[in-house]
């Protein structure tokens, strides 16, 4: 590909092939957003539902109010989920022009020039 062709903006979007790395990144982004939203909803719900009322009437677990203990427990569960996802689900890849995708010990080489048909 010549330099002039590289910077040419006269093209049709339908002719562009989507790079597999960006598809993987989009799926991972959605997964992380869903986990963050679930964590936020559960933490706020636990704090709100267990922390209502007079503090003298609170239930205490190991010296902590039940709502605080619940939020800590939820945080630890989601910490374990995030560690699992980071180690076993998220894919390590190079986002350069010629990138590689590493999937569980295998290296799959994906070159942009191979996708563009050049």
């Amino acid at each position: 590909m010549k330099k002039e062709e590289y910077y040419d903006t006269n093209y049709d979007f339908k002719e562009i092939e989507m790079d597999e790395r960006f598809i993987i990144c989009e799926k991972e982004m959605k997964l992380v957003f869903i986990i963050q939203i679930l964590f936020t909803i559960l933490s706020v719900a636990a704090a709100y539902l267990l922390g209502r009322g007079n503090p003298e009437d609170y239930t205490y677990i190991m010296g902590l109010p039940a709502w605080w203990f619940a939020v800590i427990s939820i945080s630890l569960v989601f910490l374990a989920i995030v560690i699992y996802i980071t180690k076993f689900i998220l894919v390590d890849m190079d986002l350069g022009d010629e990138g590689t995708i590493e999937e569980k010990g295998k290296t799959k080489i994906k070159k942009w020039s191979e996708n563009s048909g050049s």
Side-chain angles (χ1 to χ4, degrees):
M1 178 181 273
K2 297 178 185 176
K3 187 175 182 181
E4 295 83 26
E5 292 174 344
Y6 185 77
Y7 290 109
D8 185 21
T9 58
N10 188 15
Y11 54 85
D12 186 14
F13 283 109
K14 294 176 186 172
E15 295 176 3
I16 300 173
E17 290 183 37
M18 182 61 78
D19 192 343
E20 183 183 355
R21 297 173 294 163
F22 298 131
I23 295 169
I24 293 171
C25 286
E26 183 180 3
K27 290 178 185 178
E28 291 176 352
M29 175 200 63
K30 289 177 182 178
L31 175 67
V32 170
F33 280 164
I34 288 170
I35 290 170
Q36 177 61 44
I37 289 169
L38 283 174
F39 171 73
T40 302
I41 289 171
L42 289 176
S43 296
V44 170
Y48 178 75
L49 294 175
L50 296 174
R52 290 190 292 185
N54 188 357
E56 294 174 357
D57 299 332
Y58 284 176
T59 304
Y60 290 88
I61 302 171
M62 294 177 16
L64 298 171
W67 67 270
W68 186 248
F69 185 80
V71 170
I72 291 172
S73 299
I74 291 169
S75 298
L76 291 175
V77 168
F78 274 89
L79 175 65
I81 290 171
V82 167
I83 290 171
Y84 175 80
I85 287 173
T86 303
K87 285 185 153 272
F88 299 110
I89 295 178
L90 298 181
V91 179
D92 190 16
M93 67 184 81
D94 180 21
L95 294 179
D97 285 345
E98 296 181 7
T100 59
I101 300 173
E102 296 184 20
E103 298 181 34
K104 296 182 179 108
K106 301 177 192 172
T107 302
K108 181 178 177 183
I109 298 175
K110 186 95 171 152
K111 293 185 180 179
W112 179 255
S113 59
E114 292 172 359
N115 283 341
S116 62
S118 299

